Short mmCIF file of all heavy atoms in Angstrom, two decimals:
data_model
loop_
_atom_site.label_atom_id
_atom_site.label_comp_id
_atom_site.label_asym_id
_atom_site.label_seq_id
_atom_site.Cartn_x
_atom_site.Cartn_y
_atom_site.Cartn_z
N LYS A 261 52.15 -14.29 111.97
CA LYS A 261 53.39 -15.05 112.06
C LYS A 261 53.45 -15.83 113.37
O LYS A 261 53.10 -15.32 114.43
CB LYS A 261 54.60 -14.14 111.93
CG LYS A 261 54.79 -13.54 110.54
CD LYS A 261 54.97 -14.61 109.47
CE LYS A 261 55.23 -13.97 108.10
NZ LYS A 261 55.31 -14.98 107.04
N GLY A 262 53.90 -17.04 113.28
CA GLY A 262 53.99 -17.90 114.45
C GLY A 262 52.79 -18.81 114.61
O GLY A 262 52.84 -19.78 115.36
N ARG A 263 51.70 -18.51 113.90
CA ARG A 263 50.52 -19.36 113.98
C ARG A 263 50.76 -20.62 113.15
O ARG A 263 51.24 -20.55 112.03
CB ARG A 263 49.28 -18.64 113.48
CG ARG A 263 48.88 -17.45 114.35
CD ARG A 263 47.48 -16.98 113.99
NE ARG A 263 46.51 -18.03 114.21
CZ ARG A 263 45.97 -18.31 115.39
NH1 ARG A 263 46.31 -17.64 116.45
NH2 ARG A 263 45.09 -19.27 115.51
N LYS A 264 50.36 -21.75 113.68
CA LYS A 264 50.60 -23.01 113.00
C LYS A 264 49.39 -23.49 112.20
O LYS A 264 49.53 -24.39 111.36
CB LYS A 264 51.02 -24.09 114.01
CG LYS A 264 52.34 -23.79 114.70
CD LYS A 264 52.71 -24.89 115.67
CE LYS A 264 54.05 -24.60 116.33
NZ LYS A 264 54.45 -25.67 117.28
N GLN A 265 48.22 -22.91 112.49
CA GLN A 265 47.00 -23.38 111.83
C GLN A 265 46.16 -22.20 111.38
O GLN A 265 46.24 -21.11 111.94
CB GLN A 265 46.18 -24.26 112.79
CG GLN A 265 46.90 -25.49 113.27
CD GLN A 265 46.08 -26.26 114.30
OE1 GLN A 265 45.01 -25.83 114.72
NE2 GLN A 265 46.58 -27.42 114.71
N VAL A 266 45.31 -22.45 110.38
CA VAL A 266 44.36 -21.44 109.92
C VAL A 266 43.11 -22.16 109.41
O VAL A 266 43.18 -23.27 108.90
CB VAL A 266 44.99 -20.58 108.78
CG1 VAL A 266 45.33 -21.42 107.56
CG2 VAL A 266 44.07 -19.41 108.41
N GLY A 267 41.96 -21.53 109.61
CA GLY A 267 40.70 -22.07 109.09
C GLY A 267 40.44 -21.54 107.69
O GLY A 267 40.58 -20.35 107.43
N ILE A 268 40.09 -22.43 106.79
CA ILE A 268 39.81 -22.06 105.40
C ILE A 268 38.34 -22.25 105.09
O ILE A 268 37.78 -23.32 105.32
CB ILE A 268 40.66 -22.91 104.42
CG1 ILE A 268 42.15 -22.62 104.61
CG2 ILE A 268 40.23 -22.64 102.98
CD1 ILE A 268 42.57 -21.21 104.26
N ARG A 269 37.71 -21.18 104.58
CA ARG A 269 36.30 -21.22 104.14
C ARG A 269 36.22 -20.87 102.66
O ARG A 269 36.83 -19.90 102.22
CB ARG A 269 35.48 -20.19 104.92
CG ARG A 269 35.14 -20.59 106.31
CD ARG A 269 33.84 -21.37 106.40
NE ARG A 269 32.65 -20.53 106.39
CZ ARG A 269 31.59 -20.75 105.63
NH1 ARG A 269 31.56 -21.73 104.76
NH2 ARG A 269 30.52 -19.98 105.73
N ILE A 270 35.51 -21.67 101.88
CA ILE A 270 35.12 -21.31 100.52
C ILE A 270 33.61 -21.50 100.49
O ILE A 270 33.11 -22.58 100.18
CB ILE A 270 35.82 -22.18 99.45
CG1 ILE A 270 37.35 -22.08 99.60
CG2 ILE A 270 35.40 -21.72 98.04
CD1 ILE A 270 38.13 -22.95 98.62
N PRO A 271 32.85 -20.48 100.86
CA PRO A 271 31.41 -20.65 101.05
C PRO A 271 30.66 -20.86 99.74
O PRO A 271 31.09 -20.41 98.66
CB PRO A 271 30.98 -19.31 101.69
CG PRO A 271 32.24 -18.62 102.08
CD PRO A 271 33.29 -19.12 101.16
N ASP A 272 29.54 -21.52 99.84
CA ASP A 272 28.62 -21.66 98.71
C ASP A 272 27.73 -20.42 98.67
O ASP A 272 26.51 -20.50 98.86
CB ASP A 272 27.79 -22.94 98.86
CG ASP A 272 26.94 -23.21 97.62
OD1 ASP A 272 27.21 -22.60 96.57
OD2 ASP A 272 26.01 -24.02 97.72
N ASN A 273 28.37 -19.29 98.48
CA ASN A 273 27.68 -17.99 98.46
C ASN A 273 28.45 -17.09 97.50
O ASN A 273 29.64 -16.81 97.72
CB ASN A 273 27.63 -17.38 99.86
CG ASN A 273 26.94 -16.03 99.88
OD1 ASN A 273 27.54 -15.02 99.52
ND2 ASN A 273 25.68 -16.01 100.30
N ASP A 274 27.77 -16.65 96.45
CA ASP A 274 28.44 -15.87 95.42
C ASP A 274 28.99 -14.55 95.95
O ASP A 274 30.07 -14.11 95.53
CB ASP A 274 27.48 -15.59 94.27
CG ASP A 274 27.10 -16.83 93.49
OD1 ASP A 274 27.83 -17.85 93.61
OD2 ASP A 274 26.09 -16.81 92.76
N VAL A 275 28.26 -13.91 96.84
CA VAL A 275 28.70 -12.60 97.35
C VAL A 275 30.02 -12.76 98.11
O VAL A 275 30.98 -12.01 97.88
CB VAL A 275 27.63 -11.97 98.26
CG1 VAL A 275 28.14 -10.65 98.84
CG2 VAL A 275 26.33 -11.74 97.50
N ALA A 276 30.08 -13.72 99.01
CA ALA A 276 31.29 -13.92 99.81
C ALA A 276 32.49 -14.24 98.93
O ALA A 276 33.58 -13.66 99.09
CB ALA A 276 31.05 -15.04 100.82
N ARG A 277 32.31 -15.16 97.99
CA ARG A 277 33.43 -15.55 97.14
C ARG A 277 33.86 -14.42 96.22
O ARG A 277 35.05 -14.21 95.98
CB ARG A 277 33.09 -16.80 96.33
CG ARG A 277 32.92 -18.06 97.16
CD ARG A 277 33.06 -19.32 96.32
NE ARG A 277 32.32 -19.25 95.08
CZ ARG A 277 31.03 -19.51 94.95
NH1 ARG A 277 30.31 -19.86 96.01
NH2 ARG A 277 30.43 -19.44 93.77
N GLU A 278 32.89 -13.67 95.70
CA GLU A 278 33.24 -12.56 94.81
C GLU A 278 33.95 -11.43 95.54
O GLU A 278 34.80 -10.76 94.97
CB GLU A 278 31.98 -12.03 94.11
CG GLU A 278 31.53 -12.88 92.94
CD GLU A 278 32.61 -12.94 91.86
OE1 GLU A 278 32.93 -11.89 91.27
OE2 GLU A 278 33.13 -14.04 91.62
N LEU A 279 33.63 -11.23 96.81
CA LEU A 279 34.36 -10.24 97.60
C LEU A 279 35.84 -10.62 97.67
O LEU A 279 36.72 -9.77 97.47
CB LEU A 279 33.79 -10.15 99.01
CG LEU A 279 32.53 -9.30 99.20
CD1 LEU A 279 32.00 -9.49 100.62
CD2 LEU A 279 32.82 -7.82 98.95
N ALA A 280 36.12 -11.88 97.95
CA ALA A 280 37.51 -12.33 98.03
C ALA A 280 38.20 -12.25 96.68
O ALA A 280 39.38 -11.87 96.58
CB ALA A 280 37.57 -13.76 98.58
N ARG A 281 37.47 -12.59 95.62
CA ARG A 281 38.08 -12.52 94.28
C ARG A 281 38.41 -11.08 93.91
O ARG A 281 39.52 -10.77 93.45
CB ARG A 281 37.12 -13.09 93.23
CG ARG A 281 37.68 -13.07 91.80
CD ARG A 281 36.60 -13.21 90.76
NE ARG A 281 35.64 -12.11 90.82
CZ ARG A 281 35.87 -10.89 90.35
NH1 ARG A 281 37.04 -10.59 89.80
NH2 ARG A 281 34.94 -9.96 90.43
N ALA A 282 37.44 -10.18 94.11
CA ALA A 282 37.64 -8.79 93.72
C ALA A 282 38.69 -8.10 94.58
O ALA A 282 39.45 -7.25 94.09
CB ALA A 282 36.31 -8.03 93.79
N LEU A 283 38.74 -8.45 95.86
CA LEU A 283 39.74 -7.87 96.74
C LEU A 283 41.14 -8.37 96.38
O LEU A 283 42.13 -7.65 96.51
CB LEU A 283 39.42 -8.21 98.19
CG LEU A 283 40.33 -7.62 99.26
CD1 LEU A 283 40.27 -6.09 99.26
CD2 LEU A 283 39.96 -8.16 100.64
N GLY A 284 41.20 -9.62 95.90
CA GLY A 284 42.48 -10.18 95.50
C GLY A 284 43.25 -10.84 96.63
O GLY A 284 44.40 -11.25 96.44
N THR A 285 42.61 -10.97 97.77
CA THR A 285 43.22 -11.63 98.92
C THR A 285 42.12 -12.21 99.80
O THR A 285 40.99 -11.73 99.76
CB THR A 285 44.08 -10.63 99.73
OG1 THR A 285 44.86 -11.33 100.69
CG2 THR A 285 43.23 -9.60 100.44
N PRO A 286 42.41 -13.24 100.58
CA PRO A 286 41.37 -13.77 101.46
C PRO A 286 40.85 -12.73 102.44
O PRO A 286 41.53 -11.76 102.76
CB PRO A 286 42.11 -14.90 102.21
CG PRO A 286 43.20 -15.32 101.27
CD PRO A 286 43.64 -14.05 100.61
N LEU A 287 39.62 -12.96 102.90
CA LEU A 287 39.00 -12.10 103.90
C LEU A 287 39.16 -12.74 105.27
O LEU A 287 38.76 -13.89 105.47
CB LEU A 287 37.49 -11.94 103.65
CG LEU A 287 36.99 -11.63 102.24
CD1 LEU A 287 35.47 -11.56 102.27
CD2 LEU A 287 37.59 -10.34 101.74
N LEU A 288 39.77 -12.03 106.20
CA LEU A 288 39.72 -12.50 107.57
C LEU A 288 38.26 -12.41 108.00
O LEU A 288 37.59 -11.41 107.75
CB LEU A 288 40.59 -11.63 108.48
CG LEU A 288 40.61 -12.05 109.95
CD1 LEU A 288 41.27 -13.42 110.09
CD2 LEU A 288 41.34 -11.02 110.79
N THR A 289 37.74 -13.45 108.60
CA THR A 289 36.30 -13.51 108.84
C THR A 289 35.98 -14.05 110.24
O THR A 289 36.71 -14.88 110.78
CB THR A 289 35.62 -14.40 107.78
OG1 THR A 289 34.20 -14.29 107.87
CG2 THR A 289 36.02 -15.86 107.92
N THR A 290 34.89 -13.55 110.79
CA THR A 290 34.37 -14.05 112.05
C THR A 290 32.86 -13.84 112.06
O THR A 290 32.36 -12.92 111.41
CB THR A 290 35.02 -13.36 113.27
OG1 THR A 290 34.54 -13.96 114.47
CG2 THR A 290 34.70 -11.88 113.31
#
């Protein structure tokens, strides 16, 4: 809360995207 910006990634990688899909929420990532 209070943050005005966020970085969005939708990688061209099935594992990464499927993790987010199966979890049901975005993954905080670094």
Side-chain angles (χ1 to χ4, degrees):
K261 291 300 183 184
R263 295 193 60 83
K264 296 181 179 180
Q265 300 175 355
V266 63
I268 296 295
R269 284 271 278 133
I270 303 178
D272 187 15
N273 179 281
D274 292 342
V275 177
R277 293 199 314 277
E278 281 299 296
L279 279 172
R281 181 199 62 77
L283 183 63
T285 190
L287 313 179
L288 181 65
T289 189
T290 184

